[in-house]
Amino acid sequence: MITLYHHPLCPQSRFVRLLLGEYAITPELIEEKPYERRRDFLLLDPSGQTPVLVEPSGLVLSGPGPIAEYFDETRGLALGRGRLLPDDPASRAEVRRVSDWFCQKFFQEVTNWLVTEKVYKRFMPREQGGGGPDMELVRAARSNIRTHLRYIGYLASHRNWLAGDRLSHADLAAAAQLSCVDFLGDVPWDENETAKTWYARIKSRPAFRSLLADRLPGISPSPVYADLDF
Amino acid sequence: MITLYHHPLCPQSRFVRLLLGEYAITPELIEEKPYERRRDFLLLDPSGQTPVLVEPSGLVLSGPGPIAEYFDETRGLALGRGRLLPDDPASRAEVRRVSDWFCQKFFQEVTNWLVTEKVYKRFMPREQGGGGPDMELVRAARSNIRTHLRYIGYLASHRNWLAGDRLSHADLAAAAQLSCVDFLGDVPWDENETAKTWYARIKSRPAFRSLLADRLPGISPSPVYADLDF
């Protein structure tokens, strides 16, 4: 069985969970709190960041990009027309560009601030930086997401999916980030109908179900979080 | 001819310059100051970040990862035994993990702070955040680099190159980051002999020459920067 070290509100972990869902793989999920810097986890992967995936062979893979590429290389053919990376190099480059946009840029400008301030800091000891949220960062993230939502709307109005004709890593990467922010109730869905329609399509895929069932102690998801007709 | 929009001290641009050097490709270099957010540059790539590469066909590629993968897919075979991505998926995943370590983790914990504080802020107008360096961030970066140097030493003592037997994207990614920090004189080379020996090997490759000739107005590189026998 595949093991995935993840955190429920780590967007890069969610990307890998969506990916595994598309491959119809149910992993054993082990919840990791990266801020605890657990020794055995650091021995698995010295960066100390989720997600880390362990193959049944014992092979350890870490990071959303390397994991997604590895799955395409080892199991992509089996997805047939549903393969998550296109065939030609230029289209593949576009999928990777849009994936990086969400895994890196959206993460740094939106998700990381919201999840760190509103979730992680709540569970961290004060001497490690825990405590109440810095509302200036929360406000900056809430402002930044509006630009990203417009960009999603722009991409989705020019293409069938975010990086081309077919569902790809790019859609999973974007949906993973948005789903964390949506859990916290910070996506202004009313501002972009096209982005909302794209998200409704991906949210209704079977791969999404395990994410919608996520709960955290003491933090309720927003009312629309698990609603397919939000 | 290939065109590369870059900044001399943008480490991700340097990674692509090293990559092109290994393919024996001399691009037309166009210097871009990302903090100016030039309209024509944003039209090329909406992230507004260097590097952006334009193929002779007009195809636009952006980001170090997507560019490196694209070159491997379209021109990798021609490198024969010198190909910069290995053949088997597990080894490829390791190259990508180590590359991401440097392009993302090292960049965020070291290079970005040093280059922003010591270089970019000098050329930025005050209303955009320009001014003198925040020495607290400079000190944090100088402290963080010591851990990374030890990690390079660890990898280089267990393998021929950082991610395996052969030179790969991982070595170029690491060397690109280090070369920016070395330009600014902030690499404590004396602390790790193995890391220094690895860097000396890659620094003496022909692909490195154009980087060593880089100069910036008003900022002299450190005395050892262009010295192959540092």
Side-chain angles (χ1 to χ4, degrees), chain A residues 38-64:
Chain A
R38 197 168 58 87
R39 193 167 175 274
D40 285 352
F41 184 59
L42 289 170
L43 286 174
L44 260 188
D45 181 73
S47 83
Q49 289 164 338
T50 48
V52 173
L53 184 148
V54 185
E55 278 267 50
S57 66
L59 178 72
V60 178
L61 301 163
S62 59

PDB file of all heavy atoms in Angstrom, chain A residues 38-64:
ATOM      1  N   ARG A  38       9.363  16.468  13.522  1.00  0.00           N
ATOM      2  CA  ARG A  38       9.515  15.145  14.118  1.00  0.00           C
ATOM      3  C   ARG A  38      10.728  14.445  13.509  1.00  0.00           C
ATOM      4  O   ARG A  38      10.898  14.421  12.297  1.00  0.00           O
ATOM      5  CB  ARG A  38       8.230  14.341  13.838  1.00  0.00           C
ATOM      6  CG  ARG A  38       8.032  13.112  14.687  1.00  0.00           C
ATOM      7  CD  ARG A  38       6.604  12.599  14.518  1.00  0.00           C
ATOM      8  NE  ARG A  38       6.285  12.279  13.127  1.00  0.00           N
ATOM      9  CZ  ARG A  38       6.533  11.103  12.549  1.00  0.00           C
ATOM     10  NH1 ARG A  38       7.100  10.124  13.221  1.00  0.00           N
ATOM     11  NH2 ARG A  38       6.196  10.893  11.281  1.00  0.00           N
ATOM     12  N   ARG A  39      11.552  13.868  14.368  1.00  0.00           N
ATOM     13  CA  ARG A  39      12.829  13.311  13.930  1.00  0.00           C
ATOM     14  C   ARG A  39      12.668  12.240  12.843  1.00  0.00           C
ATOM     15  O   ARG A  39      13.354  12.269  11.827  1.00  0.00           O
ATOM     16  CB  ARG A  39      13.575  12.740  15.146  1.00  0.00           C
ATOM     17  CG  ARG A  39      15.013  12.433  14.845  1.00  0.00           C
ATOM     18  CD  ARG A  39      15.859  12.178  16.075  1.00  0.00           C
ATOM     19  NE  ARG A  39      17.190  11.777  15.628  1.00  0.00           N
ATOM     20  CZ  ARG A  39      17.500  10.522  15.325  1.00  0.00           C
ATOM     21  NH1 ARG A  39      16.624   9.560  15.453  1.00  0.00           N
ATOM     22  NH2 ARG A  39      18.728  10.225  14.876  1.00  0.00           N
ATOM     23  N   ASP A  40      11.733  11.295  13.063  1.00  0.00           N
ATOM     24  CA  ASP A  40      11.576  10.218  12.085  1.00  0.00           C
ATOM     25  C   ASP A  40      11.095  10.741  10.728  1.00  0.00           C
ATOM     26  O   ASP A  40      11.390  10.153   9.688  1.00  0.00           O
ATOM     27  CB  ASP A  40      10.590   9.159  12.608  1.00  0.00           C
ATOM     28  CG  ASP A  40      11.242   8.300  13.693  1.00  0.00           C
ATOM     29  OD1 ASP A  40      12.465   8.436  13.906  1.00  0.00           O
ATOM     30  OD2 ASP A  40      10.529   7.502  14.330  1.00  0.00           O
ATOM     31  N   PHE A  41      10.340  11.842  10.776  1.00  0.00           N
ATOM     32  CA  PHE A  41       9.884  12.433   9.516  1.00  0.00           C
ATOM     33  C   PHE A  41      11.056  13.116   8.795  1.00  0.00           C
ATOM     34  O   PHE A  41      11.207  12.991   7.575  1.00  0.00           O
ATOM     35  CB  PHE A  41       8.750  13.430   9.791  1.00  0.00           C
ATOM     36  CG  PHE A  41       8.151  14.022   8.543  1.00  0.00           C
ATOM     37  CD1 PHE A  41       7.572  13.203   7.574  1.00  0.00           C
ATOM     38  CD2 PHE A  41       8.150  15.393   8.328  1.00  0.00           C
ATOM     39  CE1 PHE A  41       7.020  13.745   6.404  1.00  0.00           C
ATOM     40  CE2 PHE A  41       7.598  15.942   7.167  1.00  0.00           C
ATOM     41  CZ  PHE A  41       7.034  15.112   6.215  1.00  0.00           C
ATOM     42  N   LEU A  42      11.911  13.787   9.563  1.00  0.00           N
ATOM     43  CA  LEU A  42      13.088  14.435   8.963  1.00  0.00           C
ATOM     44  C   LEU A  42      14.058  13.407   8.387  1.00  0.00           C
ATOM     45  O   LEU A  42      14.764  13.681   7.414  1.00  0.00           O
ATOM     46  CB  LEU A  42      13.804  15.307  10.006  1.00  0.00           C
ATOM     47  CG  LEU A  42      13.060  16.581  10.406  1.00  0.00           C
ATOM     48  CD1 LEU A  42      13.734  17.245  11.610  1.00  0.00           C
ATOM     49  CD2 LEU A  42      12.999  17.557   9.235  1.00  0.00           C
ATOM     50  N   LEU A  43      14.060  12.210   8.978  1.00  0.00           N
ATOM     51  CA  LEU A  43      14.928  11.166   8.434  1.00  0.00           C
ATOM     52  C   LEU A  43      14.386  10.663   7.094  1.00  0.00           C
ATOM     53  O   LEU A  43      15.143  10.268   6.211  1.00  0.00           O
ATOM     54  CB  LEU A  43      15.051  10.001   9.420  1.00  0.00           C
ATOM     55  CG  LEU A  43      15.945  10.290  10.633  1.00  0.00           C
ATOM     56  CD1 LEU A  43      15.897   9.139  11.632  1.00  0.00           C
ATOM     57  CD2 LEU A  43      17.397  10.535  10.185  1.00  0.00           C
ATOM     58  N   LEU A  44      13.045  10.673   6.967  1.00  0.00           N
ATOM     59  CA  LEU A  44      12.435  10.274   5.686  1.00  0.00           C
ATOM     60  C   LEU A  44      12.759  11.304   4.613  1.00  0.00           C
ATOM     61  O   LEU A  44      13.103  10.976   3.487  1.00  0.00           O
ATOM     62  CB  LEU A  44      10.914  10.234   5.831  1.00  0.00           C
ATOM     63  CG  LEU A  44      10.186   8.932   6.048  1.00  0.00           C
ATOM     64  CD1 LEU A  44       8.694   9.183   5.967  1.00  0.00           C
ATOM     65  CD2 LEU A  44      10.601   7.860   5.055  1.00  0.00           C
ATOM     66  N   ASP A  45      12.596  12.576   4.995  1.00  0.00           N
ATOM     67  CA  ASP A  45      12.855  13.653   4.033  1.00  0.00           C
ATOM     68  C   ASP A  45      13.425  14.859   4.777  1.00  0.00           C
ATOM     69  O   ASP A  45      12.734  15.477   5.587  1.00  0.00           O
ATOM     70  CB  ASP A  45      11.563  14.060   3.319  1.00  0.00           C
ATOM     71  CG  ASP A  45      11.843  15.160   2.304  1.00  0.00           C
ATOM     72  OD1 ASP A  45      12.441  14.850   1.269  1.00  0.00           O
ATOM     73  OD2 ASP A  45      11.518  16.329   2.584  1.00  0.00           O
ATOM     74  N   PRO A  46      14.674  15.211   4.499  1.00  0.00           N
ATOM     75  CA  PRO A  46      15.340  16.252   5.283  1.00  0.00           C
ATOM     76  C   PRO A  46      14.729  17.649   5.144  1.00  0.00           C
ATOM     77  O   PRO A  46      15.019  18.510   5.960  1.00  0.00           O
ATOM     78  CB  PRO A  46      16.782  16.234   4.754  1.00  0.00           C
ATOM     79  CG  PRO A  46      16.714  15.552   3.433  1.00  0.00           C
ATOM     80  CD  PRO A  46      15.566  14.606   3.502  1.00  0.00           C
ATOM     81  N   SER A  47      13.884  17.876   4.133  1.00  0.00           N
ATOM     82  CA  SER A  47      13.279  19.207   4.032  1.00  0.00           C
ATOM     83  C   SER A  47      12.226  19.393   5.116  1.00  0.00           C
ATOM     84  O   SER A  47      11.876  20.522   5.459  1.00  0.00           O
ATOM     85  CB  SER A  47      12.650  19.416   2.650  1.00  0.00           C
ATOM     86  OG  SER A  47      11.364  18.857   2.592  1.00  0.00           O
ATOM     87  N   GLY A  48      11.703  18.278   5.642  1.00  0.00           N
ATOM     88  CA  GLY A  48      10.719  18.369   6.721  1.00  0.00           C
ATOM     89  C   GLY A  48       9.369  18.897   6.267  1.00  0.00           C
ATOM     90  O   GLY A  48       8.567  19.347   7.080  1.00  0.00           O
ATOM     91  N   GLN A  49       9.119  18.859   4.959  1.00  0.00           N
ATOM     92  CA  GLN A  49       7.864  19.398   4.435  1.00  0.00           C
ATOM     93  C   GLN A  49       6.965  18.282   3.909  1.00  0.00           C
ATOM     94  O   GLN A  49       7.448  17.323   3.299  1.00  0.00           O
ATOM     95  CB  GLN A  49       8.147  20.381   3.283  1.00  0.00           C
ATOM     96  CG  GLN A  49       8.773  21.691   3.771  1.00  0.00           C
ATOM     97  CD  GLN A  49       9.403  22.503   2.650  1.00  0.00           C
ATOM     98  OE1 GLN A  49       9.751  21.969   1.602  1.00  0.00           O
ATOM     99  NE2 GLN A  49       9.577  23.792   2.880  1.00  0.00           N
ATOM    100  N   THR A  50       5.658  18.428   4.154  1.00  0.00           N
ATOM    101  CA  THR A  50       4.701  17.530   3.525  1.00  0.00           C
ATOM    102  C   THR A  50       4.462  18.020   2.093  1.00  0.00           C
ATOM    103  O   THR A  50       4.635  19.220   1.845  1.00  0.00           O
ATOM    104  CB  THR A  50       3.364  17.552   4.298  1.00  0.00           C
ATOM    105  OG1 THR A  50       2.985  18.913   4.531  1.00  0.00           O
ATOM    106  CG2 THR A  50       3.475  16.803   5.602  1.00  0.00           C
ATOM    107  N   PRO A  51       4.073  17.128   1.173  1.00  0.00           N
ATOM    108  CA  PRO A  51       3.831  15.701   1.296  1.00  0.00           C
ATOM    109  C   PRO A  51       5.090  14.860   1.056  1.00  0.00           C
ATOM    110  O   PRO A  51       5.965  15.250   0.287  1.00  0.00           O
ATOM    111  CB  PRO A  51       2.839  15.445   0.159  1.00  0.00           C
ATOM    112  CG  PRO A  51       3.280  16.395  -0.913  1.00  0.00           C
ATOM    113  CD  PRO A  51       3.761  17.626  -0.182  1.00  0.00           C
ATOM    114  N   VAL A  52       5.119  13.707   1.734  1.00  0.00           N
ATOM    115  CA  VAL A  52       6.118  12.681   1.448  1.00  0.00           C
ATOM    116  C   VAL A  52       5.355  11.385   1.191  1.00  0.00           C
ATOM    117  O   VAL A  52       4.473  11.029   1.971  1.00  0.00           O
ATOM    118  CB  VAL A  52       7.109  12.504   2.616  1.00  0.00           C
ATOM    119  CG1 VAL A  52       8.036  11.324   2.363  1.00  0.00           C
ATOM    120  CG2 VAL A  52       7.927  13.774   2.817  1.00  0.00           C
ATOM    121  N   LEU A  53       5.677  10.729   0.093  1.00  0.00           N
ATOM    122  CA  LEU A  53       4.973   9.511  -0.301  1.00  0.00           C
ATOM    123  C   LEU A  53       5.949   8.344  -0.265  1.00  0.00           C
ATOM    124  O   LEU A  53       7.078   8.468  -0.726  1.00  0.00           O
ATOM    125  CB  LEU A  53       4.398   9.712  -1.707  1.00  0.00           C
ATOM    126  CG  LEU A  53       3.524   8.613  -2.308  1.00  0.00           C
ATOM    127  CD1 LEU A  53       2.460   9.243  -3.229  1.00  0.00           C
ATOM    128  CD2 LEU A  53       4.331   7.597  -3.090  1.00  0.00           C
ATOM    129  N   VAL A  54       5.505   7.219   0.319  1.00  0.00           N
ATOM    130  CA  VAL A  54       6.363   6.030   0.341  1.00  0.00           C
ATOM    131  C   VAL A  54       5.686   4.926  -0.471  1.00  0.00           C
ATOM    132  O   VAL A  54       4.545   4.546  -0.191  1.00  0.00           O
ATOM    133  CB  VAL A  54       6.646   5.553   1.782  1.00  0.00           C
ATOM    134  CG1 VAL A  54       7.642   4.397   1.766  1.00  0.00           C
ATOM    135  CG2 VAL A  54       7.197   6.706   2.628  1.00  0.00           C
ATOM    136  N   GLU A  55       6.384   4.480  -1.498  1.00  0.00           N
ATOM    137  CA  GLU A  55       5.885   3.408  -2.355  1.00  0.00           C
ATOM    138  C   GLU A  55       5.947   2.081  -1.588  1.00  0.00           C
ATOM    139  O   GLU A  55       6.766   1.942  -0.668  1.00  0.00           O
ATOM    140  CB  GLU A  55       6.796   3.313  -3.591  1.00  0.00           C
ATOM    141  CG  GLU A  55       6.478   4.319  -4.670  1.00  0.00           C
ATOM    142  CD  GLU A  55       5.515   3.758  -5.700  1.00  0.00           C
ATOM    143  OE1 GLU A  55       4.467   3.199  -5.296  1.00  0.00           O
ATOM    144  OE2 GLU A  55       5.813   3.888  -6.895  1.00  0.00           O
ATOM    145  N   PRO A  56       5.153   1.080  -1.969  1.00  0.00           N
ATOM    146  CA  PRO A  56       5.239  -0.228  -1.314  1.00  0.00           C
ATOM    147  C   PRO A  56       6.660  -0.811  -1.358  1.00  0.00           C
ATOM    148  O   PRO A  56       7.073  -1.526  -0.459  1.00  0.00           O
ATOM    149  CB  PRO A  56       4.266  -1.087  -2.131  1.00  0.00           C
ATOM    150  CG  PRO A  56       3.296  -0.124  -2.717  1.00  0.00           C
ATOM    151  CD  PRO A  56       4.067   1.132  -2.961  1.00  0.00           C
ATOM    152  N   SER A  57       7.441  -0.430  -2.368  1.00  0.00           N
ATOM    153  CA  SER A  57       8.834  -0.904  -2.477  1.00  0.00           C
ATOM    154  C   SER A  57       9.738  -0.256  -1.436  1.00  0.00           C
ATOM    155  O   SER A  57      10.882  -0.663  -1.271  1.00  0.00           O
ATOM    156  CB  SER A  57       9.382  -0.574  -3.859  1.00  0.00           C
ATOM    157  OG  SER A  57       9.474   0.847  -4.002  1.00  0.00           O
ATOM    158  N   GLY A  58       9.236   0.789  -0.769  1.00  0.00           N
ATOM    159  CA  GLY A  58      10.076   1.518   0.184  1.00  0.00           C
ATOM    160  C   GLY A  58      10.643   2.804  -0.400  1.00  0.00           C
ATOM    161  O   GLY A  58      11.215   3.619   0.322  1.00  0.00           O
ATOM    162  N   LEU A  59      10.495   2.992  -1.703  1.00  0.00           N
ATOM    163  CA  LEU A  59      10.990   4.220  -2.337  1.00  0.00           C
ATOM    164  C   LEU A  59      10.272   5.444  -1.762  1.00  0.00           C
ATOM    165  O   LEU A  59       9.051   5.472  -1.668  1.00  0.00           O
ATOM    166  CB  LEU A  59      10.753   4.157  -3.856  1.00  0.00           C
ATOM    167  CG  LEU A  59      11.169   5.400  -4.647  1.00  0.00           C
ATOM    168  CD1 LEU A  59      12.695   5.509  -4.725  1.00  0.00           C
ATOM    169  CD2 LEU A  59      10.586   5.374  -6.065  1.00  0.00           C
ATOM    170  N   VAL A  60      11.059   6.442  -1.369  1.00  0.00           N
ATOM    171  CA  VAL A  60      10.507   7.658  -0.770  1.00  0.00           C
ATOM    172  C   VAL A  60      10.514   8.781  -1.816  1.00  0.00           C
ATOM    173  O   VAL A  60      11.535   9.042  -2.448  1.00  0.00           O
ATOM    174  CB  VAL A  60      11.353   8.093   0.450  1.00  0.00           C
ATOM    175  CG1 VAL A  60      10.820   9.393   1.051  1.00  0.00           C
ATOM    176  CG2 VAL A  60      11.383   6.990   1.500  1.00  0.00           C
ATOM    177  N   LEU A  61       9.371   9.420  -1.979  1.00  0.00           N
ATOM    178  CA  LEU A  61       9.258  10.534  -2.929  1.00  0.00           C
ATOM    179  C   LEU A  61       8.743  11.745  -2.181  1.00  0.00           C
ATOM    180  O   LEU A  61       7.847  11.617  -1.340  1.00  0.00           O
ATOM    181  CB  LEU A  61       8.256  10.200  -4.032  1.00  0.00           C
ATOM    182  CG  LEU A  61       8.545   8.957  -4.875  1.00  0.00           C
ATOM    183  CD1 LEU A  61       7.292   8.524  -5.613  1.00  0.00           C
ATOM    184  CD2 LEU A  61       9.670   9.252  -5.861  1.00  0.00           C
ATOM    185  N   SER A  62       9.284  12.927  -2.484  1.00  0.00           N
ATOM    186  CA  SER A  62       8.765  14.095  -1.780  1.00  0.00           C
ATOM    187  C   SER A  62       8.588  15.279  -2.708  1.00  0.00           C
ATOM    188  O   SER A  62       9.280  15.415  -3.715  1.00  0.00           O
ATOM    189  CB  SER A  62       9.668  14.461  -0.606  1.00  0.00           C
ATOM    190  OG  SER A  62      10.955  14.728  -1.070  1.00  0.00           O
ATOM    191  N   GLY A  63       7.630  16.117  -2.352  1.00  0.00           N
ATOM    192  CA  GLY A  63       7.357  17.314  -3.149  1.00  0.00           C
ATOM    193  C   GLY A  63       6.303  17.036  -4.206  1.00  0.00           C
ATOM    194  O   GLY A  63       6.321  15.989  -4.847  1.00  0.00           O
ATOM    195  N   PRO A  64       5.386  17.986  -4.411  1.00  0.00           N
ATOM    196  CA  PRO A  64       4.285  17.750  -5.345  1.00  0.00           C
ATOM    197  C   PRO A  64       4.750  17.533  -6.793  1.00  0.00           C
ATOM    198  O   PRO A  64       4.251  16.625  -7.478  1.00  0.00           O
ATOM    199  CB  PRO A  64       3.435  19.018  -5.219  1.00  0.00           C
ATOM    200  CG  PRO A  64       4.346  20.056  -4.640  1.00  0.00           C
ATOM    201  CD  PRO A  64       5.318  19.315  -3.776  1.00  0.00           C
TER     202      PRO A  64
END
